Each structure stands twice: as C-alpha cells, then as structure tokens.
Amino acid sequence: MNGLKNKQMGKKTLLFTTIGKMNEESHRISTEAFSSWKGFDVVVFGEDLEQHTQICDKHGFILDTDYERCEFGLPIVRGLFKAAERYTGYDVYCYLNADIKFPSSPQYIIDLIEDDNFLLVGQRMDTYQDERSDNLHLPGGIDYFFYTPDFWDLSKMPDFNKARGRYDHWLMGNAYTNGNGNVIDLTNEWIPIHQEPKVRITGDFGVLFNSGTYLSRAYQIFRNNYYFAKARLHGQTDMTRYYVEDGVVKQRVNEVKNEFGITF
C-alpha cells in the first residue's frame, strides 16, 4: 500500500492507532483527538463495527481490521507496528494512542530533525473533566512514537497486549539499547493533550485479582508486567541525550537511571 494522500510538504508521515468498543465518552474523546490530526494520513486498526467505520469515514482515515490479536481479542502491540509496515512510501511513522490530541501540528519538528534515523517521544498534558488542574504526565507514560522505518527491529518484541501497560517502557528501553539512531525528547517544545476519563480502572493487577472483578484484565496486566520484567528493558522520555527546545535540537547529560539501575 503506497502513500495514501499525505498533503505534507516535508517528510511524509503516517500516523497509526487502534480503537476498541467505544462508549459515549471514549467516542467523544477520540473524535476530538482525530479532529486534531489534520494534514496527516492515518490508519486506524479496529474492528468491522459500524461505529469504527463511521468515525474513520468522518475523518477520512483508513480502517484496517487485519492485525495480530491475543486470545482475548486485544491488539498485540508488535502486530500493530508490523501491520503499519504494509503502508509504504513514508519517511516517518507514528504510533499514538487514540485519545491524544495535537495542540498544533508537530510536522515542523519532524522536518527539522536532520538524522537519517530517529525516534521522537515526549510527555503529555493530562486534562480533567472536573475541578482538577491540568497536569504534566510523568515521563514514564509515553503515548506517541515518531520513528523512521529503519530505526528499530521489533520482530522479537514480546506479546504485549495493548492498553495493559509496560509495553511503552519496553519500547523505550529497546530504543536506547538497540535503536539505530538518536532518541529525542519533544517535551520542552510540544506537548500533546490527553483527556482523562471520568472513571479510570486501576492498573494494579493485584487489586483487580483480590477484588474478584476484571479478572481477565488483571491477568492481561500481569502478563505484560511479566514480559517487561523478564526482558529487563525500561526507558522514559527524560532519559534521552537529546531534546528539542525553541525549534533547536539540544544535547544534555542524562543522569536518570532506569528501573534496573542503567543510565543510557
């Protein structure tokens, strides 16, 4: 599948994401996010559902239902990246969560990076539907990955389930350890927006197991944590040697150790 209809003047960039069954709230949040991705080609990995077809048609996105899933029907993260490779003709790919809203186009940042291969990541701004103030999310929670096609090989990535944690830490640890290029933090230049749902289910598998509810979810979270601990790969956005600020790529000395005591 060769480049779709990208209108960009610089590096051709493909965004890809995934959605599941959406309630009224998640549909609204994803709609707001999708509306902010103007100017990019977008592939949405989803299901053959009317609500998925409608939201993709509304925004001119491609709905792709052919990707790897686990026994619970959840996307396997490695499979999403592999499925995105079918869409050729792009200089940069970006996996991002379907609830991430762009405050402005990041295309100018992508274009200013002169490296042949790179990974761009950064923190997000959490917003709330109550009286709580906006909050910059911790550097360990990563919701977008802009990368060049030859930056990494994810063929040996464990079977992490989407939306069950730790896969972002593994991706970052793998990028720092095995990536074919620089990892660059965009937080000082560009911060996307993440609207928190009114009710969030805990990611603590022990609490879920002990409560007797969401047992399948508890197992999925536990399994992701097992894959992560076995691989011993962990990274965050604040561990990069390079960052962007005021439209310039700058260098810093990283002094932050990962969960296994390693400084990159």
Side-chain angles (χ1 to χ4, degrees), residues 128-182:
Y128 304 90
Q129 302 176 55
D130 53 28
E131 68 281 356
R132 287 176 291 177
S133 300
D134 295 352
N135 181 59
L136 184 64
H137 198 78
L138 295 173
I142 302 126
D143 293 75
Y144 69 89
F145 300 82
F146 288 97
Y147 62 95
T148 50
D150 294 326
F151 176 77
W152 49 15
D153 175 10
L154 299 179
S155 61
K156 295 182 179 179
M157 183 179 186
D159 292 344
F160 288 102
N161 292 169
K162 176 69 178 68
R164 297 299 181 260
R166 288 301 198 176
Y167 70 86
D168 51 350
H169 295 159
W170 186 95
L171 284 169
M172 291 297 292
N174 181 66
Y176 289 129
T177 305
N178 303 310
N180 181 32
N182 291 318

Side-chain angles (χ1 to χ4, degrees), residues 52-111:
H52 287 192
T53 301
Q54 289 178 345
I55 195 171
C56 289
D57 287 349
K58 176 180 179 180
H59 294 91
F61 296 169
I62 298 296
L63 174 62
D64 191 331
T65 61
D66 182 16
Y67 56 93
E68 189 177 8
R69 299 165 175 83
C70 72
E71 70 271 30
F72 298 99
L74 293 172
I76 292 178
V77 177
R78 180 191 63 246
L80 297 174
F81 281 80
K82 183 174 179 59
E85 293 176 0
R86 296 196 297 261
Y87 298 87
T88 59
Y90 290 94
D91 304 304
V92 177
Y93 293 80
C94 177
Y95 170 77
L96 73 168
N97 290 334
D99 55 6
I100 292 300
K101 183 177 180 180
F102 289 175
S104 60
S105 175
Q107 185 64 47
Y108 79 96
I109 307 174
I110 299 169
D111 290 339

Side-chain angles (χ1 to χ4, degrees), residues 24 44 46 71 100 116 140 162 186 209 215 236:
E24 182 178 350
V44 178
E71 70 271 30
I100 292 300
D116 291 334
K162 176 69 178 68
L186 304 187
F209 272 128
L215 292 179
Q236 301 181 168

